[in-house]
Amino acid sequence: MTLMDEIDKKIVSLLQEDGRISLIDLGKRLGLSHVSVRKRLMKLCDDLIRVAAGLDVEKLGFRIAIVNAEVEGHKRLAELLEKFSKCPRIFFMTTTTGAYNLMTMMIAEDADTLNAIIEICSVRAQKGIRRSEVIIGEPPIVPKYLPIKIIAEKTLEDAPCGINCGKCIRYKQRKCLGCPATRYYRGPL
């Protein structure tokens, strides 16, 4: 079953270059009417793609961490996947094979916050983790823009991981900006 024909692939490619391109401009580039492009784009959005805003973490000065973890048992792995799917700092999470069975990629605004989240509120600090490895990375080269979750209304008392930033020693010492989902957050997101 083919999900995309050649025209669909061209539409996706043009959107990847510029997600704000108009239907009229797409049509001109493809030799189609904007109505035809709209129909194809609607079908692609229903079936296969999502057009979304990404943030340039390099311009924001953010840090990136990859946290690999060996989680004991399938049940605990499923619980952690559910719990951390709501974390605004995680922009990528997947199960893996090999030495570790869970990989997350996270962002932090500065080195202090990165250290705090790795030690206190990341996957590696959870019950059921046999071992973990953290890799600190530079801002990505590809893709340049990351799907960072922005939570406009910061009303939560506890972060999705269950931590209360207001009670955290690192937060109190101003060595962490807090969770972007909570009322305690004092960063730029």
Side-chain angles (χ1 to χ4, degrees), residues 99-189:
Y100 302 102
N101 57 359
L102 178 61
M103 173 196 283
T104 61
M105 293 183 182
M106 308 175 74
I107 54 104
E109 299 82 346
D110 55 48
D112 283 341
T113 301
L114 184 66
N115 288 332
I117 64 173
I118 287 169
E119 294 303 320
I120 297 170
C121 28
S122 74
V123 167
R124 78 181 289 205
Q126 300 296 305
K127 185 182 111 192
I129 302 299
R130 291 188 182 129
R131 64 192 173 117
S132 64
E133 175 184 37
V134 175
I135 302 162
I136 307 298
E138 296 293 321
I141 297 161
V142 175
K144 183 169 179 58
Y145 299 92
L146 298 179
I148 307 301
K149 297 174 194 144
I150 301 290
I151 299 170
E153 295 185 27
K154 297 166 185 348
T155 57
L156 294 179
E157 187 69 24
D158 293 337
C161 65
I163 300 292
N164 183 301
C165 298
K167 296 176 183 174
C168 176
I169 189 71
R170 294 219 181 154
Y171 180 82
K172 289 178 182 178
Q173 293 173 344
R174 298 189 110 24
K175 294 195 178 225
C176 181
L177 295 172
C179 176
T182 70
R183 67 181 190 89
Y184 297 102
Y185 183 65
R186 50 183 177 228
L189 293 179

Side-chain angles (χ1 to χ4, degrees), residues 5-126:
D5 63 17
E6 291 307 310
I7 294 172
D8 291 338
K9 290 175 188 176
K10 288 177 184 175
I11 290 171
V12 172
S13 177
L14 290 167
L15 285 170
Q16 287 174 331
E17 288 176 24
D18 178 5
R20 298 179 299 170
I21 190 170
S22 71
L23 293 175
I24 291 170
D25 288 341
L26 275 170
K28 285 179 184 174
R29 303 250 326 248
L30 298 168
L32 299 171
S33 72
H34 70 279
V35 175
S36 179
V37 171
R38 182 181 183 282
K39 286 180 183 176
R40 283 178 170 273
L41 186 55
M42 296 300 288
K43 178 145 178 46
L44 283 167
C45 286
D46 287 344
D47 297 342
L48 192 62
I49 69 169
R50 184 175 135 226
V51 180
L55 295 177
D56 185 336
V57 294
E58 183 174 23
K59 281 188 181 169
L60 291 168
F62 286 10
R63 309 288 304 262
I64 294 178
I66 300 167
V67 180
N68 293 312
E70 181 185 0
V71 183
E72 59 185 42
H74 293 292
K75 183 180 177 190
R76 185 62 184 146
L77 179 60
E79 291 168 357
L80 289 176
L81 288 168
E82 172 64 24
K83 181 178 190 176
F84 282 93
S85 69
K86 297 173 184 87
C87 176
R89 294 192 174 283
I90 293 177
F91 62 89
F92 181 87
M93 182 169 55
T94 189
T95 56
T96 58
T97 58
Y100 302 102
N101 57 359
L102 178 61
M103 173 196 283
T104 61
M105 293 183 182
M106 308 175 74
I107 54 104
E109 299 82 346
D110 55 48
D112 283 341
T113 301
L114 184 66
N115 288 332
I117 64 173
I118 287 169
E119 294 303 320
I120 297 170
C121 28
S122 74
V123 167
R124 78 181 289 205
Q126 300 296 305

